[in-house]
Amino acid sequence: MTSEHQGLGSPGTVPGRRLVFLLALACGVGVANIYFPQAIVPLFADGLSVSPGRAATVVTAAQVGYATGIFLLVPLGDRLMHRHLIVVLLAITGLGLLVAGTASTLPVLVTASALTGAATVVPQILIPMTAGLVPDDRRGAVTGTLLSGLIGGILLARTFGGGLGQWLGWRAPYLVAAAVVFLLALVLACAVPTTTPPSRDRYPALLGAPLRLMIAEPDLRRSCLYQALIFAGFTASWTSLALLVTGPKYDLGTSAIGLIALVGAASMFCTPIAGRSTDRRGPDTVNLVCMLAVIGAAALLTTGSLGNTLGLIGLTAGMLILDVAVQSGQVANQARIFALRPEARSRLNTAYMTCAFLGGSVGSWLGVRAYTGLGWTGVCLLVSILAGLALTRHLIAYRTPGPRPEQTPDAAPIRG
């Protein structure tokens, strides 16, 4: 057995298209549990007789829980059998959704949301697992397919939550989601291939491994930097977009933001293409195109300052390009890091996703302040500066002599 597939199972476990599609669906269902509560915050407030500000803590709890789960649970993907870990996490997620859907007080709902967020990190386990089950020349394409499912879950979650909540009340989305998650756990219990844990490290060593990997792997560091900067610009623009579209320049409702977001569905079809391009041309080339696309998107987004139909068209087109570039860049980044150490893909993904979420959080904070101080043009300038920093670092790496990621010799094992 080659080092590339060491500890992953026999060659017969290579997933076919049906299984890849099922795993992409599972990624979408998993991530949707973080996003659908955002659409029903007003319903929480009315149903539990609390202020909208207090009700919004439900969404915050889910996001904090998700970040915590990435740090504490995703590394277990290198230590435990994937099938068992995935099914247990889905079962906990289902229970959390069930408790949330029957909660009678806000503290119970907040606690259940935090538990659900922490356990619904299954997509971040499925993606590195699947990357380890496919040949090198399919890794980018398969990663892109799973990310397309992830994007679909993000896009449709708010529509699912808002529509069902408006029709049947705020509890309905939780209860329906719980039923779907329990069903998915049963299906994946049979469908996920049998794998052998690639690591025997104890849990404390697993938790410390992402930091050690960041120190040891230059390509992991630059992949994390790329995504943190680009994702920061992405969250800055989306956070500020709500202020722009609902403000006096356009005076539109939040439904307009939802329509602009749905245009981003095109990225579901672009990520598999980015994956195939990564397989053929390498992640560095795809990263370069994506960074240039983000800068171009920032320039197009400046038309939003016009405040008319042309400005709205520019906003929609710019956000579409930005979304495609961010998601396609993620395909390239993850393909790069998954090629570094086959025995530590979950821990590599933990380091990568933690940096991405930290960048996104900082981006939201910076975006609001740029909009407050300089208006929408300031936000576009911020996006271009962040992408420019990533591009500068990328050009330095591209021109530095040395082995490309796919030429790097086998690294030394991670020591606890």
Side-chain angles (χ1 to χ4, degrees):
M1 187 177 296
T2 66
S3 62
E4 179 65 22
H5 293 87
Q6 187 176 8
L8 294 171
S10 64
T13 62
V14 175
R17 290 186 178 180
R18 289 184 180 179
L19 179 56
V20 171
F21 175 79
L22 175 62
L23 297 179
L25 178 64
C27 287
V29 170
V31 77
N33 296 318
I34 302 299
Y35 287 94
F36 81 74
Q38 295 177 354
I40 52 178
V41 169
L43 301 179
F44 296 151
D46 292 340
L48 298 176
S49 300
V50 298
S51 67
R54 291 187 63 200
T57 58
V58 174
V59 176
T60 302
Q63 294 172 337
V64 171
Y66 190 67
T68 303
I70 288 176
F71 181 74
L72 296 179
L73 299 178
V74 171
L76 290 173
D78 288 331
R79 182 65 179 84
L80 304 177
M81 287 186 62
H82 291 111
R83 181 192 295 172
H84 295 168
L85 178 60
I86 289 166
V87 171
V88 168
L89 289 177
L90 286 174
I92 295 173
T93 300
L95 288 174
L97 291 167
L98 196 59
V99 172
T102 57
S104 57
T105 64
L106 184 63
V108 173
L109 180 57
V110 169
T111 302
S113 295
L115 174 65
T116 300
T120 195
V121 293
V122 166
Q124 305 307 331
I125 295 172
L126 286 174
I127 292 174
M129 179 202 78
T130 310
L133 293 173
V134 297
D136 293 352
D137 59 357
R138 285 188 61 202
R139 184 175 296 124
V142 169
T143 300
T145 300
L146 265 62
L147 284 175
S148 71
L150 197 76
I151 297 164
I154 294 172
L155 291 173
L156 298 177
R158 298 180 182 93
T159 303
F160 160 78
L164 195 60
Q166 193 68 41
W167 182 33
L168 297 175
W170 70 267
R171 299 181 188 275
Y174 281 102
L175 298 178
V176 172
V180 172
V181 167
F182 282 132
L183 178 61
L184 184 64
L186 291 175
V187 173
L188 293 185
C190 301
V192 172
T194 300
T195 57
T196 302
S199 173
R200 295 182 180 275
D201 289 347
R202 294 185 177 183
Y203 184 61
L206 290 175
L207 290 184
L211 179 58
R212 291 193 294 274
L213 286 167
M214 286 283 287
I215 296 172
E217 298 289 352
D219 283 323
L220 174 61
R221 291 197 299 273
R222 69 186 182 99
S223 296
C224 291
L225 178 65
Y226 294 166
Q227 193 64 14
L229 290 170
I230 299 300
F231 194 55
F234 177 80
T235 58
S237 58
W238 273 107
T239 302
S240 304
L241 180 70
L243 301 175
L244 175 67
V245 172
T246 59
K249 191 173 288 289
Y250 288 95
D251 196 24
L252 298 174
T254 54
S255 58
I257 303 169
L259 290 175
I260 295 175
L262 282 178
V263 175
S267 58
M268 294 176 59
F269 305 100
C270 293
T271 47
I273 297 173
R276 290 191 291 271
S277 296
T278 299
D279 290 334
R280 291 195 301 268
R281 299 180 176 88
D284 281 353
T285 301
V286 175
N287 274 138
L288 178 61
V289 173
C290 291
M291 291 169 188
L292 293 173
V294 171
I295 295 173
L300 183 57
L301 285 171
T302 59
T303 60
S305 299
L306 297 175
N308 51 27
T309 302
L310 181 61
L312 198 58
I313 293 174
L315 282 176
T316 304
M319 294 307 294
L320 171 60
I321 295 172
L322 181 61
D323 191 28
V324 171
V326 171
Q327 303 300 342
S328 298
Q330 173 142 315
V331 174
N333 289 327
Q334 289 189 304
R336 181 187 295 110
I337 67 171
F338 291 155
L340 295 175
R341 301 200 186 200
E343 81 285 357
R345 287 195 172 103
S346 288
R347 286 165 286 179
L348 289 163
N349 201 42
T350 296
Y352 174 80
M353 292 304 300
T354 300
C355 291
F357 270 88
L358 287 174
S361 300
V362 173
S364 295
W365 185 83
L366 289 175
V368 172
R369 275 138 192 86
Y371 184 83
T372 302
L374 301 173
W376 179 248
T377 302
V379 176
C380 298
L381 180 62
L382 172 64
V383 174
S384 62
I385 290 174
L386 292 170
L389 291 173
L391 178 61
T392 300
R393 175 64 183 89
H394 187 58
L395 292 177
I396 292 173
Y398 210 79
R399 293 175 180 176
T400 301
R404 308 312 310 161
E406 60 270 17
Q407 298 173 323
T408 302
D410 291 341
I414 309 169
R415 299 298 181 188

